[in-house]
Amino acid sequence: MPTSQSADTEPPRRLLRRWEIDAPGSTSPHDGAGAHSGARPHDGTGARNGAGTHDVGAHGAGAHGAGLGDGVGAGRRCWRVDTADGAFFLKEYAEPDRRRLRFRHSVTAALDEAGLPVLAPMPARGGRTLVTAAGRGYVLQPWVGGRGRGGLELTFGQCEALGELLGRLHAALDQLTPPVQQSLLIPTPRAADAAAAVEEMLRDVPGDGDGTDFDALTGRRLRERRDLLAEFADHQPPEIEVTTVGHLHGSFHAGHLRYGGSGNVTAVLGWGSLTTGPVAGEVVRAAARLFACDDERGLDLDRVQAFVRGHRSAFPLDAGQIQSAVHREWWERLCDVAPLRHRYLGEDGEDGADGAAGRGSAALVSWWSAQLDRTLDAFAAPYAAAYADAPGDSPAFG
């Protein structure tokens, strides 16, 4: 964790001179243990610490920092810096993975150069985008304005435009990055392992009449999941499938998107999750996170279809790949008990609370299991000739 001594060695004001930016005032960097007591964690501004800097803190990274991914947390600091040349976002890496950061920076710079709404890191003197000082790494980017919008807030046309944007990103990544090995082996979770984990969790829940109402709800949710795992145990997807693979954003969801006043996406953040894998898998995961309701209504399949249609226009796959990805995403959610641990037992899994929340609610898993055939057909519908040729007849454009 940063100390006051390490902070004094290379404060942000002196660091900014590496980028030939001279911010007025001084700063007292946050220690990374949490949001500053004076910070406004979600408005993108942070707490004013000097004439030219805001201490964004570890969990108060605001509109830009919250979307950067890559572990803004304990031992990490970041700042908003206001200058005569505009606002910037300075992020510290306690133990920078130089190779990984250089690759990511080259990718985001190429996407930015290609005209996509991706922020390239700013090169310092000498052309480097990662500046090191006292064993720590620092990256500077433009500050992101705009607002966040949930997927269910979008019109059908905006859903299609968002899917097209993801398709354009996939197409550009395919052109700008090295080829990815096609024969990827993606381990498939086992229902028996998930069921055993649920049984273990049930042992920690008070029996009927011995606990609170929340304990009763917890027991009911766990038993529901156990029953679903038993009912669908023979629906496991195959271990290996032939599919289109490539470099992926890795975490394409509403929290990593910023919108301008006209409703267009002005920035795609979260590139710390850059990874490789099946392209159809990212399309399905993104749609499931963007268009999931928080209750028994499940997925808004009309918006899902508009989103997939948009992606198809920029990076066509095929119905088989989409349906295989839907099958796998449903199965992984069914077997993933981390959200249950987090929601009902107050535990964080390896991915933490955000990772658990990303899998959605128990109600969504129940809905999806009951609507599995319907979701398989709905996700693949944009690849049907009738749908593709007559979008005006689709309910998503009604």
Side-chain angles (χ1 to χ4, degrees):
M1 182 173 292
T3 64
S4 58
Q5 182 177 3
S6 65
D8 292 339
T9 301
E10 194 78 32
R13 183 184 179 189
R14 292 176 58 190
L15 275 170
L16 290 170
R17 295 172 185 167
R18 304 278 192 94
W19 287 275
E20 299 182 343
I21 294 175
D22 187 14
S26 60
T27 184
S28 175
H30 192 263
D31 65 4
H36 191 281
S37 59
R40 290 172 287 170
H42 301 297
D43 66 359
T45 56
R48 172 76 69 175
N49 282 316
T53 59
H54 297 275
D55 177 5
V56 179
H59 301 292
H64 192 155
L68 281 175
D70 196 39
V72 178
R76 305 286 173 86
R77 296 175 296 178
C78 44
W79 300 264
R80 168 174 169 155
V81 183
D82 292 320
T83 76
D85 296 322
F88 301 92
F89 183 82
L90 178 67
K91 183 175 179 180
E92 176 190 78
Y93 294 83
E95 297 179 356
D97 184 334
R98 291 174 173 78
R99 181 177 180 180
R100 182 182 177 189
L101 284 170
R102 282 197 296 267
F103 177 72
R104 186 195 314 161
H105 291 176
S106 69
V107 169
T108 53
L111 293 173
D112 181 24
E113 181 67 22
L116 290 158
V118 177
L119 296 177
M122 298 181 61
R125 287 195 302 263
R128 293 186 177 183
T129 54
L130 174 65
V131 168
T132 57
R136 300 177 182 272
Y138 298 87
V139 176
L140 188 71
Q141 291 180 285
W143 183 263
V144 175
R147 55 166 293 201
R149 301 183 67 184
L152 298 176
E153 299 178 50
L154 305 180
T155 66
F156 295 130
Q158 289 169 335
C159 293
E160 181 170 355
L162 185 58
E164 181 184 3
L165 172 58
L166 180 58
R168 290 168 56 207
L169 286 170
H170 285 154
L173 286 168
D174 186 55
Q175 296 172 358
L176 299 170
T177 58
V180 176
Q181 180 182 356
Q182 289 291 316
S183 57
L184 287 175
L185 175 61
I186 303 175
T188 302
R190 296 178 64 248
D193 294 338
V198 171
E199 289 289 356
E200 182 179 352
M201 294 162 64
L202 275 168
R203 287 196 290 269
D204 295 332
V205 179
D208 293 340
D210 296 332
T212 64
D213 290 344
F214 188 75
D215 291 330
L217 173 63
T218 300
R220 184 164 67 250
R221 291 300 190 196
L222 290 174
R223 288 189 292 272
E224 287 175 355
R225 183 62 59 86
R226 180 186 60 189
D227 293 344
L228 287 172
L229 286 164
E231 179 181 356
F232 292 98
D234 60 350
H235 282 57
Q236 176 175 319
E239 289 284 351
I240 302 176
E241 298 179 40
V242 177
T243 187
T244 302
V245 298
H247 283 86
L248 311 173
H249 176 276
S251 189
F252 193 88
H253 59 75
H256 288 158
L257 300 171
R258 294 294 172 266
Y259 293 82
S262 61
N264 60 307
V265 175
T266 57
V268 179
L269 307 173
W271 289 94
S273 300
L274 182 67
T275 186
T276 59
V279 176
E282 174 147 274
V283 177
V284 171
R285 282 192 301 274
R289 292 196 68 172
L290 285 162
F291 308 119
C293 303
D294 292 330
D295 52 31
E296 64 280 354
R297 291 175 296 170
L299 296 174
D300 186 326
L301 293 178
D302 289 343
R303 284 182 165 81
V304 165
Q305 289 183 12
F307 180 81
V308 176
R309 177 184 171 83
H311 186 273
R312 176 186 182 273
S313 69
F315 195 87
L317 298 167
D318 59 63
Q321 292 189 57
I322 294 294
Q323 288 188 318
S324 293
V326 173
H327 186 184
R328 179 172 287 274
E329 179 65 16
W330 159 77
W331 178 260
E332 290 181 350
R333 286 171 178 258
L334 176 65
C335 294
D336 185 2
V337 299
L340 294 173
R341 293 186 188 278
H342 171 66
R343 173 68 177 86
Y344 297 106
L345 301 183
E347 301 177 10
D348 286 349
E350 293 181 1
D351 295 331
D354 182 67
R359 282 294 184 192
S361 67
L364 176 59
V365 174
S366 298
W367 177 91
W368 201 334
S369 299
Q371 305 288 335
L372 182 56
D373 289 341
R374 182 183 171 204
T375 56
L376 288 168
D377 292 340
F379 271 85
Y383 281 88
Y387 183 102
D389 294 340
D393 293 336
S394 166
F397 292 84

